[in-house]
Amino acid sequence: MIMEHAALSTPLHSPVLWLIPFLPLFGAILNGATGRSLKNNKVVDLIALGSVAASFLLVCYTFVQLMGMAPANRSVTQTVWTWLSLGDAQVLGGLTTNTMAWAYKVDPLSACMGLLVTGVGFLIHLFSTGYMADERKSGEYYRFMAYLNLFIFSMLNLVLGANMIIMFLGWEGVGLCSYLLIGFYFDREYAAVAGKKAFVTNRIGDFGFLIGFFLIFMIYGSVDFDTLMGMTREILARPEITLFGISHAPTWWFNLIGCCLFLGACGKSAQIPLYVWLPDAMAGPTPVSALIHAATMVTSGLYMIARLNFIYINAPVALSLVLFIGALTALVAASMGLAQYDIKKVLAYSTVSQLGFMFMGMGAGAFSAGMFHVFTHAFFKAALFLGSGSVILACHHEQDMRNMGGLRKYMPWTFASMGIATLAIAGIFPFSGFFSKDEILWKVFEGWFAGGTYQGSTLNLVAWCMGMVAAFMTAFYMVRLMAMTFFGEYRGAGHDPHHLTVPSEVHHAADDHAGHGHDDHAGHDSHGSHGHTPTEVPWNMWLPVALLALLALVGGFLNIPHSLHWIGSGHFSEWIAPLLFQAHAHEAHEAIPAMEYILMFVATVIWAPAAMGLAWWFYGADPTWSKPRAFVKRFPELFEWVNAKYYIDEFYEAAFIGPCKQLGAQLWAFDTWAVDGMVNGAARFTLLSSHALHWFDARIIDGLVNLVAWVLQQIAGGFRKLQSGRVQNYAFVMFLGFLVFAFWKFLA
């Protein structure tokens, strides 16, 4: 396959690039260190929002600088300091690197990601000033805003790092921040458990990331992105590469690296089998859900693959794995969203599914299509999550959609914004999802279509079918969400003519939070009854949602597919094209407008509207929901399986977590009773034997010695009396001897 890539040129140096990530860090430090004593939340707001806004402006300035450069020269860098010095390390027969710098790099891809992280991040910060009202009163608000700033700092390091060291620093930083934010209510068990689950699951993926990272360093001798990209042709030209005594062709090693790195991407971007932490991330406050799901953390794996596209495009096995796992995740997660009642749970599984679509694009080699869906998804998913937060707050922290309904009359701004975002995620023309998701599906289909020969990869056909089914489900569950939430009559004020509501008090039990992911604020429990009529949220909450919805409406026009260039250009694809390896073979067969037009027409005119119409027929047209209730009654086990997410969490608990806990307990017991027991037993035996020896020594040995001494002392005492030195005694003894001798003679 013939590849081409961007020409590498001397980048422009910028002395202020470091401020983009470090301004939010300064905000986090200031608020974290002084927030408790400030006693003024407006100062906290000024620091938190101001630091992110300043970063956003700096990214905009750098973006404008890039626009003024030639496409092949678009790169602005800054080396802040030397991060690691490796001396004279020799890698792979002469490739040498001795320093790794703490350096930042803004090119077309990282500039877009920087705009996304700081722009959407700022809107989420603004939304938080209204949503976290209870925390503003309780004194915990500064901590939350400090965590948000720290999250932005970590994510900016991930996307702006000029090498894999800085990327990994940001990679781990967002993992730490997700743990802090998901577990923000750390005094509640459900939040602490969800935070730990996210942290541990990501560590499993990080193991694969590190293996891939080390392999890259051993093969290239560098971790600098520009160096890696520039050396790829040289590496590929080698007949074989030998590591650890194993020799294989470069493609074999690239496949291994790609698979290892993809394991890391599965953790960060919630793909099967490591997706389970993302739905539980709902335990954090809703702004956290929006931040993690829409704009930052879950895009890490996709950004990493796009950044290292020169490795993946030369790793066909790894790309096939990415394509299959992405399609499987899109389908399975979309089906889970069909039967959820918690509004945030529906959106959570929707995020997992949409991430699957993005990976499908990557797996098909359509990196620009996959990355563009990252951006459109950030717009409509952030709008949906923040909108759901507004709904939850207006309904007094009610999250079950069965207890909502009719909110379009009370919350027109939120309704309109979420409606636009729903049309976008469903892929309806001309909303943004149409231009990104359908482009991904076309690129996947194109891999099998192969210019009309139908001789391409069967995997592409299977993945395309799975993606189409997932797209149908997406349109269905999103309209279901809108119908249950915004249409009909409000069912939360005690008006429930069709008996559809469920007891709402379950949402205030801590145990149920673990299952439903509620961000129950202690102060809001005082609302007591749910009988209050919902009202539209304040401007600082609906305005960010409206702006995001506007972006979801018009954002798709930034990347018009090739077949629709009579509408506009593919600005985004052209913008990042210099950073991507592209296959001439695909480009040669890319223009098959007839088939693409047919699929496009089917997707946006028949397929998605049919799903939306079906959902409306089920939940919107019939306020009693008789049809879905009849379906559930007829297929209770099927509904229960889907509602329970196929018991995958339970399977993990039984197959992995439980045995791991049991193994840990057994190892603990072995350590406590066997290892420690032997050590303690030896110590006790030594102690007892020393006591016995002490007794034997004191009583027997010393006793015998003392006895002999005593006997000798007694004998000596007797003799001492005979040797007293007194003449009278000696004369008396002599007299007695004389008497004895005389008596003996007399007898004889």
mmCIF file of all heavy atoms in Angstrom, residues 667-684:
data_model
loop_
_atom_site.group_PDB
_atom_site.id
_atom_site.type_symbol
_atom_site.label_atom_id
_atom_site.label_comp_id
_atom_site.label_asym_id
_atom_site.label_seq_id
_atom_site.Cartn_x
_atom_site.Cartn_y
_atom_site.Cartn_z
ATOM 1 N N LEU A 667 -4.390 -15.161 49.621
ATOM 2 C CA LEU A 667 -3.005 -14.734 49.742
ATOM 3 C C LEU A 667 -2.760 -14.028 51.071
ATOM 4 O O LEU A 667 -1.715 -14.189 51.695
ATOM 5 C CB LEU A 667 -2.634 -13.810 48.571
ATOM 6 C CG LEU A 667 -2.554 -14.485 47.200
ATOM 7 C CD1 LEU A 667 -2.323 -13.438 46.114
ATOM 8 C CD2 LEU A 667 -1.445 -15.523 47.163
ATOM 9 N N TRP A 668 -3.787 -13.226 51.471
ATOM 10 C CA TRP A 668 -3.666 -12.557 52.770
ATOM 11 C C TRP A 668 -3.599 -13.594 53.885
ATOM 12 O O TRP A 668 -2.777 -13.476 54.809
ATOM 13 C CB TRP A 668 -4.858 -11.637 52.984
ATOM 14 C CG TRP A 668 -4.853 -10.978 54.338
ATOM 15 C CD1 TRP A 668 -4.207 -9.843 54.705
ATOM 16 C CD2 TRP A 668 -5.512 -11.463 55.522
ATOM 17 N NE1 TRP A 668 -4.412 -9.564 56.016
ATOM 18 C CE2 TRP A 668 -5.217 -10.540 56.557
ATOM 19 C CE3 TRP A 668 -6.319 -12.556 55.810
ATOM 20 C CZ2 TRP A 668 -5.700 -10.691 57.845
ATOM 21 C CZ3 TRP A 668 -6.802 -12.714 57.097
ATOM 22 C CH2 TRP A 668 -6.494 -11.792 58.095
ATOM 23 N N ALA A 669 -4.473 -14.630 53.766
ATOM 24 C CA ALA A 669 -4.470 -15.675 54.798
ATOM 25 C C ALA A 669 -3.147 -16.435 54.784
ATOM 26 O O ALA A 669 -2.584 -16.739 55.839
ATOM 27 C CB ALA A 669 -5.645 -16.629 54.557
ATOM 28 N N PHE A 670 -2.639 -16.738 53.562
ATOM 29 C CA PHE A 670 -1.359 -17.448 53.474
ATOM 30 C C PHE A 670 -0.244 -16.599 54.075
ATOM 31 O O PHE A 670 0.617 -17.102 54.807
ATOM 32 C CB PHE A 670 -1.052 -17.758 52.007
ATOM 33 C CG PHE A 670 0.257 -18.451 51.795
ATOM 34 C CD1 PHE A 670 0.393 -19.817 52.049
ATOM 35 C CD2 PHE A 670 1.373 -17.749 51.355
ATOM 36 C CE1 PHE A 670 1.604 -20.460 51.855
ATOM 37 C CE2 PHE A 670 2.590 -18.384 51.164
ATOM 38 C CZ PHE A 670 2.703 -19.747 51.418
ATOM 39 N N ASP A 671 -0.300 -15.289 53.782
ATOM 40 C CA ASP A 671 0.722 -14.405 54.327
ATOM 41 C C ASP A 671 0.613 -14.310 55.835
ATOM 42 O O ASP A 671 1.617 -14.335 56.542
ATOM 43 C CB ASP A 671 0.580 -13.008 53.698
ATOM 44 C CG ASP A 671 1.601 -12.028 54.237
ATOM 45 O OD1 ASP A 671 2.796 -12.240 54.012
ATOM 46 O OD2 ASP A 671 1.189 -11.063 54.909
ATOM 47 N N THR A 672 -0.676 -14.213 56.284
ATOM 48 C CA THR A 672 -0.886 -14.027 57.731
ATOM 49 C C THR A 672 -0.584 -15.293 58.505
ATOM 50 O O THR A 672 0.130 -15.263 59.517
ATOM 51 C CB THR A 672 -2.330 -13.586 57.985
ATOM 52 O OG1 THR A 672 -2.570 -12.364 57.276
ATOM 53 C CG2 THR A 672 -2.564 -13.367 59.471
ATOM 54 N N TRP A 673 -1.132 -16.430 57.969
ATOM 55 C CA TRP A 673 -1.032 -17.649 58.773
ATOM 56 C C TRP A 673 0.173 -18.507 58.401
ATOM 57 O O TRP A 673 0.698 -19.208 59.269
ATOM 58 C CB TRP A 673 -2.311 -18.481 58.608
ATOM 59 C CG TRP A 673 -3.527 -17.746 59.059
ATOM 60 C CD1 TRP A 673 -4.508 -17.227 58.287
ATOM 61 C CD2 TRP A 673 -3.860 -17.417 60.410
ATOM 62 N NE1 TRP A 673 -5.448 -16.585 59.047
ATOM 63 C CE2 TRP A 673 -5.076 -16.689 60.369
ATOM 64 C CE3 TRP A 673 -3.268 -17.656 61.650
ATOM 65 C CZ2 TRP A 673 -5.701 -16.213 61.503
ATOM 66 C CZ3 TRP A 673 -3.898 -17.189 62.785
ATOM 67 C CH2 TRP A 673 -5.095 -16.467 62.697
ATOM 68 N N ALA A 674 0.585 -18.484 57.140
ATOM 69 C CA ALA A 674 1.717 -19.319 56.741
ATOM 70 C C ALA A 674 3.047 -18.573 56.865
ATOM 71 O O ALA A 674 3.913 -18.948 57.658
ATOM 72 C CB ALA A 674 1.513 -19.801 55.304
ATOM 73 N N VAL A 675 3.168 -17.477 56.084
ATOM 74 C CA VAL A 675 4.442 -16.753 56.108
ATOM 75 C C VAL A 675 4.681 -16.117 57.470
ATOM 76 O O VAL A 675 5.680 -16.388 58.150
ATOM 77 C CB VAL A 675 4.465 -15.693 54.989
ATOM 78 C CG1 VAL A 675 5.788 -14.929 55.037
ATOM 79 C CG2 VAL A 675 4.305 -16.366 53.635
ATOM 80 N N ASP A 676 3.687 -15.263 57.859
ATOM 81 C CA ASP A 676 3.825 -14.648 59.188
ATOM 82 C C ASP A 676 3.809 -15.709 60.279
ATOM 83 O O ASP A 676 4.478 -15.566 61.313
ATOM 84 C CB ASP A 676 2.706 -13.629 59.424
ATOM 85 C CG ASP A 676 2.885 -12.398 58.561
ATOM 86 O OD1 ASP A 676 3.905 -12.320 57.863
ATOM 87 O OD2 ASP A 676 2.000 -11.529 58.583
ATOM 88 N N GLY A 677 3.013 -16.792 60.051
ATOM 89 C CA GLY A 677 2.931 -17.853 61.065
ATOM 90 C C GLY A 677 4.272 -18.526 61.266
ATOM 91 O O GLY A 677 4.677 -18.805 62.399
ATOM 92 N N MET A 678 4.958 -18.799 60.129
ATOM 93 C CA MET A 678 6.271 -19.438 60.264
ATOM 94 C C MET A 678 7.252 -18.513 60.975
ATOM 95 O O MET A 678 8.019 -18.938 61.837
ATOM 96 C CB MET A 678 6.791 -19.813 58.870
ATOM 97 C CG MET A 678 6.081 -21.024 58.267
ATOM 98 S SD MET A 678 6.905 -21.649 56.784
ATOM 99 C CE MET A 678 6.610 -20.302 55.658
ATOM 100 N N VAL A 679 7.199 -17.250 60.589
ATOM 101 C CA VAL A 679 8.112 -16.292 61.237
ATOM 102 C C VAL A 679 7.781 -16.155 62.713
ATOM 103 O O VAL A 679 8.668 -16.241 63.582
ATOM 104 C CB VAL A 679 8.019 -14.919 60.528
ATOM 105 C CG1 VAL A 679 8.837 -13.882 61.289
ATOM 106 C CG2 VAL A 679 8.501 -15.032 59.090
ATOM 107 N N ASN A 680 6.488 -15.997 62.977
ATOM 108 C CA ASN A 680 6.104 -15.862 64.389
ATOM 109 C C ASN A 680 6.350 -17.149 65.157
ATOM 110 O O ASN A 680 6.729 -17.128 66.338
ATOM 111 C CB ASN A 680 4.618 -15.474 64.477
ATOM 112 C CG ASN A 680 4.364 -14.086 63.919
ATOM 113 O OD1 ASN A 680 5.262 -13.251 63.895
ATOM 114 N ND2 ASN A 680 3.146 -13.839 63.461
ATOM 115 N N GLY A 681 6.108 -18.332 64.473
ATOM 116 C CA GLY A 681 6.361 -19.610 65.148
ATOM 117 C C GLY A 681 7.831 -19.788 65.472
ATOM 118 O O GLY A 681 8.195 -20.257 66.559
ATOM 119 N N ALA A 682 8.661 -19.400 64.473
ATOM 120 C CA ALA A 682 10.101 -19.506 64.727
ATOM 121 C C ALA A 682 10.510 -18.603 65.880
ATOM 122 O O ALA A 682 11.333 -18.986 66.737
ATOM 123 C CB ALA A 682 10.859 -19.131 63.449
ATOM 124 N N ALA A 683 9.913 -17.420 65.894
ATOM 125 C CA ALA A 683 10.249 -16.498 66.986
ATOM 126 C C ALA A 683 9.790 -17.057 68.333
ATOM 127 O O ALA A 683 10.512 -16.974 69.337
ATOM 128 C CB ALA A 683 9.600 -15.136 66.718
ATOM 129 N N ARG A 684 8.552 -17.624 68.309
ATOM 130 C CA ARG A 684 8.039 -18.168 69.581
ATOM 131 C C ARG A 684 8.875 -19.371 70.041
ATOM 132 O O ARG A 684 9.174 -19.520 71.222
ATOM 133 C CB ARG A 684 6.570 -18.569 69.406
ATOM 134 C CG ARG A 684 5.882 -19.012 70.685
ATOM 135 C CD ARG A 684 4.397 -19.230 70.437
ATOM 136 N NE ARG A 684 3.748 -17.979 70.109
ATOM 137 C CZ ARG A 684 3.328 -17.093 71.012
ATOM 138 N NH1 ARG A 684 3.487 -17.347 72.292
ATOM 139 N NH2 ARG A 684 2.758 -15.986 70.651
#
